[in-house]
Amino acid sequence: MRHARRRIVRRVTRLTAVAGLLLGGAMVTQAAMASEPPPAAARPLASASGTGAGETGAALVARLGTARTAGDWIGADGRPVVAVTDEAAAREVRRAGAEAKVVQHSMNELKSATAALRSAPRVAGTAWAVDYRTNQVVVSADSTVSAGDWSRMSHAAARIGSFVRMERTKGTFTTRLNGAQPILSTGGRCSAGFNVTDGRSDFILTAGHCGPAGSIWFADDQAGRQLGRTVSSTFPGSDFSLVQYASGKAGDGADVVAIGGGNGVRITGLADAAVGQRVFRSGSTSGLHDGTVTALNATVNYPEGTVTGLIQTTVCAEPGDSGGPLFSDGIALGVTSGGNGDCTTGGTTFFQPVTRALSALNVKLIVSAQNAGAGAPGASPAPSASTAQGAMAPNAASPGSSAAVTGATGRTLLARLTDTRNVGPGLLVIAGSLIALVATRYIRAEQDRKAYQRHYSATWG
């Protein structure tokens, strides 16, 4: 009976080991396929038109003017949609190949409403933006806004007009100090955004609230390797800063942003975001997450001050993600400013547009060599805002072409082996299965040898 049980245990062990070999092989194959960058044709960069032939929504808005339009966005089918105030403008939009939506209030009226809100007494924990799709100005108040402040803002909104909508939101609007490789200083932890250059030195573009000019940044929490120093910082008002590399140069992989697991996305250009666009954010705390652009030119009243002209999104973020990059299909769009919620419950996150930051700082984005234009090597001038709108549905958007991240720190051998995005876990399963097979074979041989010894010992006895 005991021998029968042993045989069953050995057979089960061998079957499990064989299954482990098959599973490990499948894991290695899947990881290898996932790490292969897709061909260029599978990652179309944004075209010059939302429809491939007609004008973009932004171009139509610019041509028709803000008195006859009220913003544009990308529809579910990838076509641009333009809000217009009269049928004549609607006909022009349709002739251009875009979809028209007739609304009551022009962009001039909506901007007048936001100007009235800015002139009112500042209330920390509030934010507002124009919702192009509903033709409204949406005012959000977080959990820190008192009942008295909420009542006063509601009365101010009512005086402006019925197209100003008030809503309460969960959590608190805060900067995300405390991506994208982590960068650390005595003030806290942030995430690196994009590498930029002035033609002589290279810099990290990150959030302005991460630290004032003169802040020293390190690449590890032991302060053993100085990364650089903040040479320019703007916050509040806007939210961007430049960290000059201590070595003067960004080094290899300057055109790549990290997304975790030693992986990255190659940056090929920059543009303004578009409402309805699917976007991706990377940060050193929460890694890679995606969402949708819901508004532009948003205003947020952080406890530290007011920031205007931001991109509003449904992407989540957490403390430490500040300054991390926002991008789509390899196109740089913004750096993380702040928001509410987290990556468990979700929330709203605001981003400083890259185009405005680079223009104010007089630097250029470092992009992959094949996309670099004239001027400094690897540098790219900002294309038009329409570049961000590809001729595809928002759900078809991807982060961009994959690339390895160089110079990543803090990754132990065990972490790399157990990362499911690498071949390490599959190799571990295969190794364990082989050990199990060898062990069962060895145990079987030992048992046979001992049985042989017992048999002949009894015979000679």
Side-chain angles (χ1 to χ4, degrees), residues 256-276:
V256 175
V257 294
I259 60 173
N263 300 315
V265 169
R266 197 172 300 283
I267 299 302
T268 58
L270 72 157
D272 290 319
V275 173

Side-chain angles (χ1 to χ4, degrees), residues 333-406:
L333 302 172
V335 292
T336 307
S337 175
N340 66 340
D342 54 42
C343 290
T344 301
T345 60
T348 298
T349 303
F350 300 92
F351 297 85
Q352 167 69 51
V354 167
T355 53
R356 297 182 189 180
L358 298 192
S359 177
L361 295 166
N362 196 29
V363 292
K364 294 181 178 180
L365 184 72
I366 296 177
V367 299
S368 59
Q370 62 266 32
N371 292 87
S380 171
S384 67
S386 62
T387 307
Q389 302 182 37
M392 55 185 173
N395 287 340
S398 66
S401 60
S402 60
V405 175
T406 59

Side-chain angles (χ1 to χ4, degrees), residues 7-76:
R7 284 196 299 271
I8 292 173
V9 171
R10 286 198 300 268
R11 287 173 182 171
V12 171
T13 304
R14 283 197 297 270
L15 289 173
T16 303
V18 171
L21 286 173
L22 295 174
L23 176 62
M27 292 171 67
V28 170
T29 302
Q30 184 178 12
M33 291 175 63
S35 65
E36 280 294 314
R43 302 277 193 187
L45 294 181
S47 70
S49 164
T51 62
E55 291 181 82
T56 64
L60 287 166
V61 167
R63 179 159 66 84
L64 294 172
T66 54
R68 302 178 67 195
T69 62
D72 66 283
W73 61 93
I74 300 174

Side-chain angles (χ1 to χ4, degrees), residues 284-300:
S284 60
T285 298
S286 59
L288 181 68
H289 290 273
D290 71 304
T292 303
V293 176
T294 56
L296 304 174
N297 296 315
T299 296
V300 185

